[in-house]
Amino acid sequence: MFDLDCYDEKDCKNLNPQVLAFVGDGVYSLYIRHRVLLDENSKGRKLHARVTDFVKAKGQSDFIEKLLPLFTEDELSIYKRARNHKTLSQAKNANIVDYKRATGLEAVIGYLYLTKNFDRLNEILKLSIGENNEN
């Protein structure tokens, strides 16, 4: 991936959950865009529609249901902290439950990225698009 100066786990756990979600949102969006591009060589509008299915709060909220039982203790703690974090921002196109659950997922992705836990990050990202999934 990238050669980054990253946080250690302790520092990362102490970051504001919204910061972790901000980073995770970017990582998740880029991953999904890359995978969709590899799978479909379509026009921009069709690619955008396909990506949106994955990155919108409802899609992430649905995915987190399958992922929660697979989380480590640390990942679950970060997820819950981000999901329960009070925020003044509102979701544009999602209900509050889906928005908060998506924020929790993004925070976990941000945490894994910032701590350079790329093996685990890739495992979760592949599950998000149905790879390694037996459903």
Side-chain angles (χ1 to χ4, degrees):
M1 266 195 144
F2 304 101
D3 185 22
L4 301 170
D5 292 329
C6 290
Y7 294 91
D8 65 21
E9 285 188 41
K10 182 182 175 198
D11 290 338
C12 205
K13 285 179 186 175
N14 291 324
L15 285 174
N16 182 312
Q18 294 297 310
V19 171
L20 292 174
F22 175 76
V23 172
D25 177 57
V27 171
Y28 188 69
S29 180
L30 182 59
Y31 177 81
I32 294 298
R33 288 172 185 264
H34 180 84
R35 292 302 309 193
V36 166
L37 182 62
L38 289 175
D39 294 343
E40 300 177 24
N41 189 6
S42 302
K43 294 185 179 188
R45 185 173 291 200
K46 186 174 180 184
L47 290 172
H48 177 73
R50 184 80 171 109
V51 166
T52 301
D53 289 341
F54 285 101
V55 299
K56 66 184 177 184
K58 176 68 174 140
Q60 291 180 0
S61 180
D62 291 345
F63 170 56
I64 198 68
E65 277 297 310
K66 297 174 185 166
L67 190 59
L68 278 174
L70 306 175
F71 274 169
T72 66
E73 193 174 309
D74 284 343
E75 292 164 353
L76 187 59
S77 174
I78 289 162
Y79 168 78
K80 287 179 177 179
R81 192 165 59 98
R83 181 198 61 197
N84 297 335
H85 184 75
K86 291 191 181 205
T87 180
L88 299 176
S89 62
Q90 292 182 331
K92 279 197 296 189
N93 299 310
N95 67 50
I96 191 68
V97 172
D98 287 341
Y99 178 74
K100 288 187 160 286
R101 291 172 60 168
T103 299
L105 172 63
E106 291 169 347
V108 171
I109 291 170
Y111 169 78
L112 295 171
Y113 179 79
L114 289 174
T115 58
K116 292 187 176 182
N117 192 345
F118 298 132
D119 289 339
R120 180 65 173 152
L121 177 61
N122 281 321
E123 182 180 333
I124 287 173
L125 292 174
K126 285 180 180 181
L127 287 169
S128 75
I129 59 167
E131 290 183 20
N132 301 337
N133 197 348
E134 296 178 0
N135 291 344

